[in-house]
Amino acid sequence: MKYVSTRGGLTPTEFSDILLEGLAPDGGLSMPSILPRIDSATLEVWRRLSYAELATEILSLFISDIPKSDIRALCEKTYNSANFNSEEIVPLKKINDKITLVGLSEGPTLAFKDMAMQFLGNIFEYVLAKRNTSLNILGATSGDTGSAAEYALRGKKGVQVFMLSPYGRMSDFQRAQMFSLADQNIHNLSVKGVFDDCQDIVKALANDLAFKEKYHLGAVNSINFARIVAQVVYYFWAWLRATKDGAQRISITVPTGNFGNILAGHIARQMGLPIKRLVLATNENNVLEEFFRTGIYRPRGAEQTYKTSSPSMDISKASNFERFVYDLMHQDGAKVKALWDELADKGYFDLSEEKHRFEPEFGFLSGTSNHQDRLNTIKAVYEESGIIIDPHTADGVKVALENLHEGVPMLVLETALPLKFADTIKEAIGVEPALPEHLSELMELPQHLTVMDNDVAQVRAYLQVHIQADDK
């Protein structure tokens, strides 16, 4: 398996190289040169596997430069009951006869990001040790990616983490999770702006190839394809547990802001997993919903990016969206590059002539949700099932209910545990979720962060001070 860039300027490259590279040198994103295909007979064999065993089978299809025995060891180290609060790792939870939740929040930071990030931390350490080198992770988070990355990489040999987050834009719990870490290899930079500003800084520094090489910069955001492929696993896992018939198709609704989580579903579907529809759910920051409704992709500026009660989706520039456009353009890197050049010039591009392909060819539908929708959905789910869902998952359930089809089971990917957004839960149902005993003192711990302006130069200067540069 080799990897190429969505913009056509990358010589076919091994997995370990794109793992450490992050953004491709031409500014594009890495993608497999060809996707593996899974037949129904293989799916039936996989029904017997544990989560770690399934992850081994799927990840080994994408990682050809690491022995399968080592991939198995990494998966066993990652997906176990010591790391995840469930023997199943990903339990399915039925809300009613219409909707089943895919439980992705059993990891150490109580959010779906742990599913990929725990594996990423282990494979980073493995590859860096093999190469006898180091890596400085530069990332941006709207809330959950940051804590998941930091908990996965804290104390790892050869890795430092520099995580940018939007100042005042995360929940109190999210801030406490990230900023309470005191590990020497963790650096929290709180930027006076929105998530998209943080992401723009990361991309600007990643595109400075001389700086990137000198300071060994890598990526842990979902621009790193290793995260995407680790997320592909739970789509297969969910299908294997939601069906009994190998021909049974399901639909899956995915709350998303950065397009990474639903991109993993798109890849699973392209591999042959029987998914009828992938339903994209957004909050008020509905750039992606607008695209799948109109065919026009028009990212918004910071002043037009709303602060909402599902803050991890307060994103208006979806960094993974380029990977879907690459498939939409029949994997023509030159066409993708031209579109992003047009986006830089005009602020949008128009693919409305391709709109007829979105659902029949790729299975995509979309919908949006607002604050009152979230409150209503959290309350309705709680009253019906006793299950408390977080605001992002509520966005997903609301949109899922609008896109049900007779005879097709609907799954909704859980985003996080509700206690991470206690204020919204209390507003919805009058109950504040209790903290688990092992987190009871989290909110009182001292917080460690550096606040800075929305300025590439300030972040660059911070990195230069805190990284031992490679001056060779």
Side-chain angles (χ1 to χ4, degrees):
M1 172 68 74
K2 301 285 188 179
Y3 291 82
V4 297
S5 169
T6 52
R7 301 190 190 180
L10 178 65
T11 302
T13 302
E14 296 284 1
F15 176 87
S16 295
D17 293 315
I18 63 112
L19 170 73
L20 302 182
E21 184 77 24
L23 204 63
D26 64 358
L29 302 176
S30 56
M31 282 287 282
S33 56
I34 186 168
L35 284 177
R37 293 285 299 177
I38 307 301
D39 58 29
S40 57
T42 301
L43 285 174
E44 290 310 309
V45 171
W46 285 356
R47 283 191 191 277
R48 303 191 298 266
L49 303 182
S50 68
Y51 195 91
E53 290 168 338
L54 179 65
T56 299
E57 294 304 315
I58 293 174
L59 292 170
S60 63
L61 296 173
F62 289 86
I63 306 173
S64 58
D65 61 334
I66 296 176
K68 188 173 181 177
S69 59
D70 288 357
I71 296 172
R72 179 178 295 109
L74 290 168
C75 289
E76 289 172 352
K77 182 179 180 180
T78 301
Y79 300 113
N80 58 63
S81 56
N83 279 346
F84 291 86
N85 190 35
S86 170
E87 289 292 335
E88 294 178 276
I89 308 301
V90 176
L92 267 59
K93 300 176 279 190
K94 207 171 185 64
I95 290 178
N96 53 35
D97 290 338
K98 299 176 181 177
I99 303 287
T100 298
L101 289 182
V102 181
L104 300 175
S105 303
E106 304 295 329
T109 71
L110 318 179
F112 83 95
K113 303 292 177 72
D114 290 322
M115 295 304 305
M117 211 67 80
Q118 285 291 306
F119 176 76
L120 206 62
N122 288 326
I123 197 169
F124 267 139
E125 190 173 48
Y126 170 91
V127 172
L128 292 172
K130 289 285 186 184
R131 296 188 174 195
N132 191 29
T133 188
S134 62
L135 190 67
N136 296 296
I137 298 296
L138 178 62
T141 183
S142 56
D144 291 329
T145 293
S147 55
E150 291 178 357
Y151 277 72
L153 294 168
R154 62 187 301 194
K156 294 290 186 186
K157 294 178 181 177
V159 183
Q160 285 200 90
V161 180
F162 299 85
M163 189 61 62
L164 280 61
S165 60
Y167 182 73
R169 288 268 182 160
M170 300 188 297
S171 74
D172 291 343
F173 187 92
Q174 288 174 315
R175 285 194 289 271
Q177 264 194 323
M178 283 180 59
F179 300 159
S180 62
L181 293 180
D183 302 74
Q184 291 298 305
N185 71 326
I186 302 297
H187 304 261
N188 281 302
L189 309 181
S190 188
V191 175
K192 294 178 182 177
V194 299
F195 167 77
D196 294 320
D197 295 322
C198 300
Q199 187 164 256
D200 286 345
I201 292 173
V202 169
K203 287 186 175 180
L205 292 172
N207 279 319
D208 183 340
L209 299 184
F211 184 83
K212 179 181 179 181
E213 181 179 0
K214 181 176 181 179
Y215 290 93
H216 292 191
L217 296 188
V220 77
N221 285 59
S222 51
I223 60 174
N224 192 318
F225 189 78
R227 261 193 57 192
I228 302 300
V229 70
Q231 291 175 276
V232 169
V233 177
Y234 54 68
Y235 281 88
F236 280 86
W237 176 265
W239 181 88
L240 291 166
R241 270 138 194 82
T243 66
K244 294 181 180 178
D245 177 358
Q248 172 71 62
R249 290 203 291 173
I250 61 173
S251 292
I252 303 181
T253 297
V254 188
T256 191
N258 220 9
F259 206 78
N261 203 5
I262 201 165
L263 175 74
H266 166 68
I267 289 171
R269 188 176 186 271
Q270 298 291 89
M271 290 171 67
L273 190 65
I275 297 174
K276 184 173 179 61
R277 291 182 178 87
L278 287 164
V279 185
L280 179 147
T282 71
N283 62 14
E284 294 90 330
N285 297 297
N286 65 326
V287 169
L288 290 171
E289 181 273 335
E290 182 180 66
F291 173 80
F292 283 100
R293 177 167 41 86
T294 67
I296 298 172
Y297 181 58
R298 193 190 307 271
R300 299 168 190 164
E303 68 285 352
Q304 297 171 300
T305 302
Y306 303 108
K307 183 178 181 179
T308 77
S309 53
S310 49
S312 295
M313 290 157 57
D314 291 351
I315 297 169
S316 293
K317 297 176 184 176
S319 64
N320 268 286
F321 181 60
E322 182 171 332
R323 285 181 164 123
F324 171 70
V325 174
Y326 177 68
D327 281 347
L328 190 63
M329 295 291 100
H330 305 286
Q331 301 181 345
D332 186 328
K335 288 183 178 179
V336 175
K337 183 180 184 305
L339 285 171
W340 256 258
D341 288 343
E342 182 180 353
L343 181 65
D345 181 48
K346 296 165 53 178
Y348 73 95
F349 58 72
D350 185 346
L351 292 178
S352 55
E353 291 185 358
E354 305 293 338
K355 185 173 174 292
H356 66 283
R357 299 170 56 203
F358 294 168
E359 183 184 354
E361 185 174 340
F362 298 105
F364 274 100
L365 296 174
S366 65
T368 188
S369 174
N370 60 37
H371 179 66
Q372 191 60 52
D373 292 329
R374 287 187 278 281
L375 298 180
N376 294 344
T377 303
I378 292 167
K379 183 178 181 182
V381 168
Y382 180 62
E383 290 177 345
E384 180 175 14
S385 67
I387 296 172
I388 304 176
I389 58 176
D390 85 285
H392 310 77
T393 306
D395 288 331
V397 171
K398 184 263 184 184
V399 174
L401 288 169
E402 297 169 343
N403 289 281
L404 298 173
H405 294 87
E406 187 68 31
V408 182
M410 176 63 82
L411 277 57
V412 175
L413 298 193
E414 179 185 75
T415 302
L417 291 193
L419 64 88
K420 300 189 79 167
F421 307 94
D423 290 346
T424 302
I425 303 304
K426 188 172 183 180
E427 184 181 357
I429 61 175
V431 174
E432 187 167 330
L435 286 175
E437 186 175 344
H438 72 284
L439 295 175
S440 59
E441 298 179 359
L442 179 67
M443 304 302 288
E444 307 305 321
L445 292 174
Q447 297 188 8
H448 311 276
L449 69 154
T450 301
V451 179
M452 57 181 57
D453 294 332
N454 176 22
D455 182 9
V456 174
Q458 283 193 30
V459 177
R460 184 191 298 270
Y462 186 94
L463 296 176
Q464 288 170 324
V465 169
H466 290 86
I467 294 174
Q468 182 67 44
D470 183 357
D471 290 312
K472 293 183 290 184

